[in-house]
Structure formats: structure tokens, C-alpha cells
Amino acid sequence: DQQVKQNSPSLSVQEGRISILNCDYTNSMFDYFLWYKKYPAEGPTFLISISSIKDKNEDGRFTVFLNKSAKHLSLHIVPSQPGDSAVYFCAGNFGNEKLTFGTGTRLTIIP
Amino acid sequence: DAGVTQSPTHLIKTRGQQVTLRCSPISGHKSVSWYQQVLGQGPQFIFQYYEKEERGRGNFPDRFSARQFPNYSSELNVNALLLGDSALYLCASSLAPGAASTDTQYFGPGTRLTVL
């Protein structure tokens, strides 16, 4: 039962443009949604989170949008930089340490 | 400050063997969680420990067990290894339960386990 889905395994974006990564979920009981970034040979690194009672959270170049009626969230990165090339995971949780991750999207920023 | 450390980095075992993976959390962090990441998938929750007690368990068989020590470090044990146990095992630490939602849960680099 895949409660968190990332349907795009990969995405390529020109440097300086906007990167939009999408995530869908089925469990409406999630309290929080989080985005993690993972480089090869490293553990995932927290990027940004959003409470289920919010519809937007912004932190620098990163903005997460939550559409609860559609059970969809997206991560916007503006402007995209070469260092943003990594695998991005979205995850849901119930206010505890048990994160339910999606399968990830590999983002490649083209110089 | 040192981040989350895990040992060993890589490990090769054969089917039926037992393995112990180790994790040291960030200083001051009392909550440790374990995840399994199979190739091409996202990390899947195995266990969470806080103050040496199990606080959460994922959908894994009893072959998987863990414990947390008084210094908050943790071990993950897997018995009777199967080929399907081949994965990257990630450890994560946070200050306390619930901190992962709005704060950060810091992950270690993982232990790559290969079962032949």
C-alpha cells in the first residue's frame, strides 16, 4: 500500500528556471508533510515541511504547496542551481518519527 | 559537531547469517529511528527508540530487532538474512519524539548491506 507516491522518477530543468516536484498521498490522516534531498553516499537531508493545516510554506528558494482536496503537494525550487541536482523524497507523518516516504524523484539541473 | 554516524559503511553477508548495524546519534539527541531503503524505493520505517524504549515499529518480521543504549546509541540486528534484506540501512536521530515533524530528523550516511 503506497500511501505516498511520486510518479515522476526523474526531472531535468535548466539552471535558473523553476523546478516543480510533485507528490500525491492517499492517507488523509497525515499531520505533516516533509521534503528530503539525498545525494549519493549520503543520508537524506531535511529541506522543508508543511503542516496539514497550512497550504503553503516558504523557505528561501524552496516553497511547498499543499492541496488537501486533491491530496497533492508540490515543491518549487526557484531559481534552480546545479547543486540542487539530487534525489528528492516527499514524506508524510503523524507528528512522530515514523516517516512514510515516496519513491523519490531524481532532479537534474542542466547548466 | 559530528553528525549521525553509522558503522560499518558496507557489509557483505550470506543467506542465513546474522548482522548487527550500529548508529551513534547527534550529541543531545535521544530519539533514534531505523529505515531500510531498497534500491529504487524510498526509505521504509523499521523502528523508533526513545530513552531506550521502543516507541514505534514498522511492518517488518521478527527477524528484525533493535535496542538503544544509555548513551542513546543504537543497534539494529537482523537474523536469518534473506536475499531481500539487501538494502541501505539508514539511522536517523532527533531531539525527542515529534521533533521530526517541524524540526529536522538527521540521517546518517547509512550501511549498505549485501546478502549473497
Side-chain angles (χ1 to χ4, degrees), chain B residues 53-86:
Chain B
E53 291 191 2
E54 183 182 303
R55 295 288 294 262
R57 184 184 183 108
N59 188 23
F60 280 81
D62 292 344
R63 299 184 297 108
F64 288 78
S65 64
R67 56 180 176 169
Q68 187 177 32
F69 299 98
N71 66 353
Y72 304 110
S73 67
S74 177
E75 285 183 352
L76 175 70
N77 295 284
V78 187
N79 293 322
L81 285 167
L82 304 174
L83 295 179
D85 295 331
S86 294

CSV table of all heavy atoms in Angstrom, one decimal, chain B residues 53-86:
chain,number,residue,atom,x,y,z
B,53,GLU,N,13.5,2.9,25.0
B,53,GLU,CA,12.3,2.1,24.8
B,53,GLU,C,11.8,2.2,23.4
B,53,GLU,O,11.9,3.2,22.7
B,53,GLU,CB,11.2,2.7,25.7
B,53,GLU,CG,11.4,2.4,27.2
B,53,GLU,CD,10.2,2.7,28.1
B,53,GLU,OE1,9.2,3.1,27.5
B,53,GLU,OE2,10.3,2.5,29.3
B,54,GLU,N,11.2,1.1,22.9
B,54,GLU,CA,10.7,1.1,21.5
B,54,GLU,C,9.4,1.9,21.5
B,54,GLU,O,8.5,1.7,22.2
B,54,GLU,CB,10.4,-0.3,21.1
B,54,GLU,CG,9.9,-0.5,19.7
B,54,GLU,CD,9.5,-1.9,19.3
B,54,GLU,OE1,10.4,-2.8,19.4
B,54,GLU,OE2,8.4,-2.2,18.9
B,55,ARG,N,9.4,2.9,20.6
B,55,ARG,CA,8.2,3.8,20.5
B,55,ARG,C,7.4,3.6,19.2
B,55,ARG,O,6.3,4.1,19.1
B,55,ARG,CB,8.7,5.3,20.6
B,55,ARG,CG,9.3,5.7,21.9
B,55,ARG,CD,8.2,5.7,23.0
B,55,ARG,NE,7.3,6.8,22.7
B,55,ARG,CZ,7.4,8.0,23.2
B,55,ARG,NH1,8.4,8.3,24.1
B,55,ARG,NH2,6.5,8.9,23.0
B,56,GLY,N,8.0,2.9,18.3
B,56,GLY,CA,7.3,2.6,17.1
B,56,GLY,C,8.0,1.5,16.3
B,56,GLY,O,9.2,1.3,16.4
B,57,ARG,N,7.2,0.7,15.6
B,57,ARG,CA,7.7,-0.4,14.8
B,57,ARG,C,7.0,-0.4,13.5
B,57,ARG,O,5.7,-0.3,13.4
B,57,ARG,CB,7.5,-1.7,15.6
B,57,ARG,CG,8.1,-2.9,14.9
B,57,ARG,CD,7.7,-4.2,15.6
B,57,ARG,NE,8.4,-5.3,15.0
B,57,ARG,CZ,9.4,-6.0,15.5
B,57,ARG,NH1,9.9,-5.6,16.6
B,57,ARG,NH2,10.0,-7.0,14.8
B,58,GLY,N,7.7,-0.6,12.4
B,58,GLY,CA,7.1,-0.7,11.1
B,58,GLY,C,6.7,-2.2,10.8
B,58,GLY,O,6.8,-3.1,11.6
B,59,ASN,N,6.3,-2.4,9.5
B,59,ASN,CA,5.9,-3.7,9.1
B,59,ASN,C,7.0,-4.6,8.7
B,59,ASN,O,7.2,-4.8,7.5
B,59,ASN,CB,4.9,-3.5,8.0
B,59,ASN,CG,4.2,-4.8,7.6
B,59,ASN,OD1,4.1,-5.7,8.4
B,59,ASN,ND2,3.7,-4.9,6.4
B,60,PHE,N,7.8,-5.0,9.6
B,60,PHE,CA,9.0,-5.9,9.4
B,60,PHE,C,8.8,-7.1,10.3
B,60,PHE,O,8.3,-7.1,11.3
B,60,PHE,CB,10.3,-5.1,9.7
B,60,PHE,CG,10.7,-4.2,8.6
B,60,PHE,CD1,10.1,-3.0,8.5
B,60,PHE,CD2,11.6,-4.6,7.7
B,60,PHE,CE1,10.5,-2.1,7.5
B,60,PHE,CE2,12.0,-3.8,6.7
B,60,PHE,CZ,11.5,-2.5,6.5
B,61,PRO,N,9.4,-8.3,9.8
B,61,PRO,CA,9.3,-9.5,10.5
B,61,PRO,C,10.1,-9.5,11.8
B,61,PRO,O,10.9,-8.6,12.0
B,61,PRO,CB,9.8,-10.6,9.6
B,61,PRO,CG,10.7,-9.8,8.6
B,61,PRO,CD,10.1,-8.5,8.5
B,62,ASP,N,9.8,-10.4,12.7
B,62,ASP,CA,10.5,-10.5,14.0
B,62,ASP,C,12.0,-10.8,13.8
B,62,ASP,O,12.7,-10.7,14.8
B,62,ASP,CB,9.9,-11.6,14.8
B,62,ASP,CG,8.5,-11.3,15.3
B,62,ASP,OD1,8.1,-10.1,15.2
B,62,ASP,OD2,7.7,-12.1,15.7
B,63,ARG,N,12.5,-11.1,12.6
B,63,ARG,CA,13.9,-11.3,12.4
B,63,ARG,C,14.7,-10.0,12.6
B,63,ARG,O,15.9,-9.9,12.9
B,63,ARG,CB,14.2,-11.7,11.0
B,63,ARG,CG,13.6,-13.1,10.6
B,63,ARG,CD,14.0,-13.5,9.2
B,63,ARG,NE,13.5,-12.6,8.2
B,63,ARG,CZ,14.3,-11.8,7.5
B,63,ARG,NH1,15.6,-11.7,7.8
B,63,ARG,NH2,13.8,-11.0,6.5
B,64,PHE,N,13.9,-8.9,12.6
B,64,PHE,CA,14.5,-7.6,12.8
B,64,PHE,C,14.3,-7.2,14.3
B,64,PHE,O,13.1,-7.2,14.8
B,64,PHE,CB,13.8,-6.5,11.9
B,64,PHE,CG,14.2,-6.6,10.5
B,64,PHE,CD1,13.6,-7.6,9.6
B,64,PHE,CD2,15.1,-5.8,9.9
B,64,PHE,CE1,14.0,-7.7,8.3
B,64,PHE,CE2,15.5,-5.9,8.5
B,64,PHE,CZ,14.9,-6.8,7.8
B,65,SER,N,15.3,-6.7,14.9
B,65,SER,CA,15.2,-6.3,16.3
B,65,SER,C,16.2,-5.1,16.5
B,65,SER,O,17.1,-4.9,15.7
B,65,SER,CB,15.5,-7.4,17.3
B,65,SER,OG,16.8,-7.9,17.2
B,66,ALA,N,16.0,-4.4,17.5
B,66,ALA,CA,16.9,-3.2,17.8
B,66,ALA,C,16.9,-3.0,19.3
B,66,ALA,O,16.1,-3.5,20.0
B,66,ALA,CB,16.4,-2.0,17.0
B,67,ARG,N,17.9,-2.1,19.7
B,67,ARG,CA,17.9,-1.7,21.1
B,67,ARG,C,18.7,-0.4,21.1
B,67,ARG,O,19.4,0.0,20.2
B,67,ARG,CB,18.6,-2.7,22.0
B,67,ARG,CG,20.0,-3.1,21.5
B,67,ARG,CD,20.6,-4.1,22.5
B,67,ARG,NE,21.9,-4.6,22.1
B,67,ARG,CZ,22.7,-5.3,22.9
B,67,ARG,NH1,22.3,-5.6,24.1
B,67,ARG,NH2,23.8,-5.8,22.4
B,68,GLN,N,18.4,0.4,22.2
B,68,GLN,CA,19.1,1.6,22.4
B,68,GLN,C,19.8,1.6,23.8
B,68,GLN,O,19.3,1.1,24.7
B,68,GLN,CB,18.1,2.8,22.4
B,68,GLN,CG,18.8,4.2,22.4
B,68,GLN,CD,17.8,5.3,22.3
B,68,GLN,OE1,16.6,5.2,22.8
B,68,GLN,NE2,18.2,6.4,21.7
B,69,PHE,N,21.0,2.1,23.8
B,69,PHE,CA,21.8,2.0,25.0
B,69,PHE,C,21.7,3.3,25.8
B,69,PHE,O,21.2,4.3,25.3
B,69,PHE,CB,23.3,1.8,24.5
B,69,PHE,CG,23.5,0.5,23.8
B,69,PHE,CD1,23.5,0.5,22.4
B,69,PHE,CD2,23.5,-0.7,24.5
B,69,PHE,CE1,23.6,-0.7,21.7
B,69,PHE,CE2,23.7,-1.9,23.8
B,69,PHE,CZ,23.7,-1.9,22.5
B,70,PRO,N,22.2,3.3,27.0
B,70,PRO,CA,22.1,4.5,27.9
B,70,PRO,C,22.7,5.8,27.3
B,70,PRO,O,22.3,6.9,27.6
B,70,PRO,CB,22.8,4.1,29.2
B,70,PRO,CG,22.7,2.6,29.2
B,70,PRO,CD,22.7,2.1,27.8
B,71,ASN,N,23.7,5.6,26.4
B,71,ASN,CA,24.3,6.8,25.8
B,71,ASN,C,23.6,7.1,24.5
B,71,ASN,O,24.0,8.0,23.7
B,71,ASN,CB,25.8,6.5,25.4
B,71,ASN,CG,26.0,5.4,24.4
B,71,ASN,OD1,25.0,4.8,24.0
B,71,ASN,ND2,27.2,5.2,24.0
B,72,TYR,N,22.4,6.5,24.3
B,72,TYR,CA,21.5,6.8,23.2
B,72,TYR,C,21.9,6.2,21.8
B,72,TYR,O,21.2,6.4,20.8
B,72,TYR,CB,21.1,8.3,23.0
B,72,TYR,CG,20.6,8.9,24.3
B,72,TYR,CD1,21.3,9.8,25.1
B,72,TYR,CD2,19.3,8.5,24.8
B,72,TYR,CE1,20.9,10.3,26.3
B,72,TYR,CE2,18.9,9.0,26.0
B,72,TYR,CZ,19.6,9.8,26.7
B,72,TYR,OH,19.1,10.3,27.9
B,73,SER,N,23.1,5.6,21.8
B,73,SER,CA,23.4,4.9,20.5
B,73,SER,C,22.5,3.7,20.4
B,73,SER,O,21.8,3.3,21.3
B,73,SER,CB,24.9,4.4,20.6
B,73,SER,OG,25.1,3.4,21.6
B,74,SER,N,22.5,3.1,19.2
B,74,SER,CA,21.5,2.1,18.9
B,74,SER,C,22.1,1.0,18.0
B,74,SER,O,23.1,1.3,17.3
B,74,SER,CB,20.3,2.7,18.2
B,74,SER,OG,19.4,1.7,17.9
B,75,GLU,N,21.6,-0.2,18.1
B,75,GLU,CA,22.0,-1.3,17.2
B,75,GLU,C,20.7,-1.9,16.6
B,75,GLU,O,19.7,-2.0,17.2
B,75,GLU,CB,22.7,-2.4,18.0
B,75,GLU,CG,24.1,-2.2,18.5
B,75,GLU,CD,24.7,-3.3,19.2
B,75,GLU,OE1,24.0,-4.3,19.5
B,75,GLU,OE2,25.9,-3.3,19.5
B,76,LEU,N,20.9,-2.2,15.3
B,76,LEU,CA,19.8,-3.0,14.6
B,76,LEU,C,20.4,-4.3,14.3
B,76,LEU,O,21.5,-4.5,13.7
B,76,LEU,CB,19.5,-2.2,13.3
B,76,LEU,CG,18.5,-2.9,12.4
B,76,LEU,CD1,17.1,-2.9,13.0
B,76,LEU,CD2,18.4,-2.3,11.0
B,77,ASN,N,19.6,-5.4,14.7
B,77,ASN,CA,20.0,-6.7,14.4
B,77,ASN,C,19.0,-7.4,13.4
B,77,ASN,O,17.8,-7.2,13.5
B,77,ASN,CB,20.0,-7.5,15.7
B,77,ASN,CG,21.0,-7.1,16.7
B,77,ASN,OD1,22.2,-7.3,16.5
B,77,ASN,ND2,20.6,-6.3,17.7
B,78,VAL,N,19.6,-8.1,12.5
B,78,VAL,CA,18.8,-8.9,11.6
B,78,VAL,C,19.3,-10.3,11.6
B,78,VAL,O,20.4,-10.6,11.3
B,78,VAL,CB,18.8,-8.3,10.1
B,78,VAL,CG1,17.8,-9.0,9.2
B,78,VAL,CG2,18.6,-6.8,10.1
B,79,ASN,N,18.4,-11.2,11.9
B,79,ASN,CA,18.7,-12.7,11.9
B,79,ASN,C,18.2,-13.3,10.6
B,79,ASN,O,17.4,-12.8,9.9
B,79,ASN,CB,18.0,-13.3,13.1
B,79,ASN,CG,18.5,-12.8,14.4
B,79,ASN,OD1,19.7,-12.6,14.6
B,79,ASN,ND2,17.6,-12.6,15.4
B,80,ALA,N,18.8,-14.5,10.4
B,80,ALA,CA,18.4,-15.4,9.3
B,80,ALA,C,18.2,-14.6,8.0
B,80,ALA,O,17.2,-14.5,7.4
B,80,ALA,CB,17.1,-16.1,9.6
B,81,LEU,N,19.3,-13.9,7.6
B,81,LEU,CA,19.3,-13.0,6.5
B,81,LEU,C,18.7,-13.7,5.2
B,81,LEU,O,19.1,-14.8,4.9
B,81,LEU,CB,20.7,-12.5,6.2
B,81,LEU,CG,21.2,-11.4,7.2
B,81,LEU,CD1,22.7,-11.2,7.0
B,81,LEU,CD2,20.4,-10.1,7.0
B,82,LEU,N,17.9,-12.9,4.5
B,82,LEU,CA,17.4,-13.3,3.2
B,82,LEU,C,18.0,-12.4,2.1
B,82,LEU,O,18.4,-11.3,2.4
B,82,LEU,CB,15.9,-13.2,3.2
B,82,LEU,CG,15.1,-13.9,4.2
B,82,LEU,CD1,13.6,-13.6,4.2
B,82,LEU,CD2,15.3,-15.4,4.0
B,83,LEU,N,17.9,-12.8,0.9
B,83,LEU,CA,18.4,-12.0,-0.2
B,83,LEU,C,17.7,-10.6,-0.3
B,83,LEU,O,18.3,-9.6,-0.6
B,83,LEU,CB,18.2,-12.7,-1.6
B,83,LEU,CG,19.0,-14.0,-1.8
B,83,LEU,CD1,18.7,-14.6,-3.2
B,83,LEU,CD2,20.5,-13.8,-1.7
B,84,GLY,N,16.5,-10.7,0.1
B,84,GLY,CA,15.7,-9.4,0.0
B,84,GLY,C,16.0,-8.4,1.1
B,84,GLY,O,15.5,-7.3,1.1
B,85,ASP,N,16.9,-8.8,2.1
B,85,ASP,CA,17.3,-7.9,3.1
B,85,ASP,C,18.4,-7.0,2.6
B,85,ASP,O,18.9,-6.0,3.3
B,85,ASP,CB,17.8,-8.6,4.3
B,85,ASP,CG,16.7,-9.4,5.0
B,85,ASP,OD1,15.5,-9.0,4.9
B,85,ASP,OD2,17.0,-10.5,5.6
B,86,SER,N,18.9,-7.2,1.4
B,86,SER,CA,19.9,-6.4,0.8
B,86,SER,C,19.4,-5.0,0.6
B,86,SER,O,18.3,-4.8,-0.1
B,86,SER,CB,20.4,-6.9,-0.6
B,86,SER,OG,21.1,-8.2,-0.4
